[in-house]
Amino acid sequence: MKRLFYFILLIAGFSSIHSCKDLTDEEGNPLLDLNENTGLIGPRALSREVTNVGMIAEYQYTGLLLTKVITEKASITDVEWSGDKISRLTFNGFLDLDNDGVIDTDSVSYTQQYTYGNLGKLTMISENRTIFRRAAPVPPSTVPGPYVVFAKTKAIYTLTYSSTTGKLASIVMRRGNDIPSFVYTDYTKAAYSYLGDNVSSVAKEVGKLTGTVFEDADKKFTFDFSSYDSQISGYTLLPFEYKVSVLISTDINDDRGLILSPNSPKRASATDMMPAVPVTVVVSTNYKYDPQTYMTQGFGINYFYKPL
């Protein structure tokens, strides 16, 4: 497989994680010190995810509400709320759109509008996305030109839930180029399976749409998570809607499906289902926890919290 997936990239740096003492949040409040492992007492928020290479994500809040996330290459996600629900999310930055394990040089900007059903569950996300690509240098200069619009798309994500458990069952995306004769031309389908409250497997398909017909998938993957602990995942502190936005930020980001679970898997695998003999990559980890049983380290990531 071209990409070794998100957790493979993380595990490669696990053995060389350096000290992460005395960090503070954007307001100067002390974060959880992994070396002292004293933990926090009372309400908390997930503040940062850090590896030995650098910061994966920094989460910023207004009161109790997540309002901004800073990720790799200074990418910024702004989160807007209407009452107690996320109504709009805007991303400006860089993603791994080609799924090769490396953040692209193309710049991405998208806005997502959130729609909720009668029971208050997120049921639909509408997205407008623009991809910017730097123009080739004009000889004799070797400096790339300015960023110009490379592609504009519109997409709809439809979420369904289990009638028995109420848990997320699937996310289906339909997307097309944002042109006057707009039609949906591409799709993705993600189906979620559970073991108790935790996600045990995500089956992902990527393919083409012809009218309302889903053509045979061009790509198929299965992401499995197992050996869950009984402690608390720091991702439980993030809004469900934001976690969904992470999963749909690229066509194949489902190796992050573990963020939907209240606990943390010690084993994860990714399988390319397209070859005659499917190809599977497996990794495992041991977690560290603070006295309040929140995870502080696993799969090469240090998790920092701040008091609320």
Side-chain angles (χ1 to χ4, degrees), residues 28-196:
N29 298 313
L31 303 179
L32 174 63
D33 186 333
L34 296 180
N35 300 283
E36 297 297 332
N37 200 32
T38 54
L40 296 174
I41 304 300
R44 66 171 65 197
L46 180 61
S47 183
R48 293 182 188 176
E49 299 177 61
V50 181
T51 71
N52 64 311
V53 177
M55 184 181 69
I56 296 176
E58 176 183 326
Y59 303 95
Q60 298 183 5
Y61 302 81
T62 298
L64 301 177
L65 302 181
L66 177 70
T67 53
K68 186 183 295 289
V69 183
I70 303 172
T71 49
E72 295 174 88
K73 296 182 68 173
S75 302
I76 294 178
T77 300
D78 289 307
V79 183
E80 300 177 34
W81 295 76
S82 178
D84 62 350
K85 297 187 181 302
I86 292 176
S87 58
R88 177 185 172 102
L89 182 146
T90 303
F91 175 88
N92 290 285
F94 300 87
L95 296 167
D96 178 17
L97 296 176
D98 59 5
N99 197 46
D100 67 352
V102 178
I103 300 296
D104 300 339
T105 57
D106 292 346
S107 175
V108 180
S109 176
Y110 60 76
T111 298
Q112 296 173 343
Q113 302 283 351
Y114 292 73
T115 301
Y116 297 85
N118 293 334
L119 299 178
K121 288 182 176 292
L122 177 66
T123 56
M124 188 175 71
I125 301 173
S126 59
E127 177 188 279
N128 288 278
R129 180 177 297 218
T130 303
I131 301 174
F132 301 90
R133 179 167 294 178
R134 295 198 73 174
V138 178
S141 173
T142 59
V143 178
Y147 280 100
V148 295
V149 174
F150 174 71
K152 297 182 71 173
T153 61
K154 294 194 295 186
I156 292 290
Y157 300 84
T158 304
L159 289 75
T160 61
Y161 300 85
S162 167
S163 59
T164 55
T165 66
K167 298 183 185 305
L168 178 67
S170 68
I171 302 177
V172 177
M173 181 273 287
R174 297 170 174 83
R175 180 178 61 220
N177 291 323
D178 190 1
I179 56 178
S181 55
F182 175 81
V183 292
Y184 291 120
T185 56
D186 301 272
Y187 76 85
T188 66
K189 293 181 178 181
Y192 298 86
S193 301
Y194 296 83
L195 180 61

Side-chain angles (χ1 to χ4, degrees), residues 241-255:
E241 294 81 4
Y242 172 75
K243 290 185 281 190
V244 169
S245 78
V246 171
L247 297 177
I248 66 175
S249 61
T250 66
D251 282 354
I252 304 173
N253 206 29
D254 305 272
D255 40 350

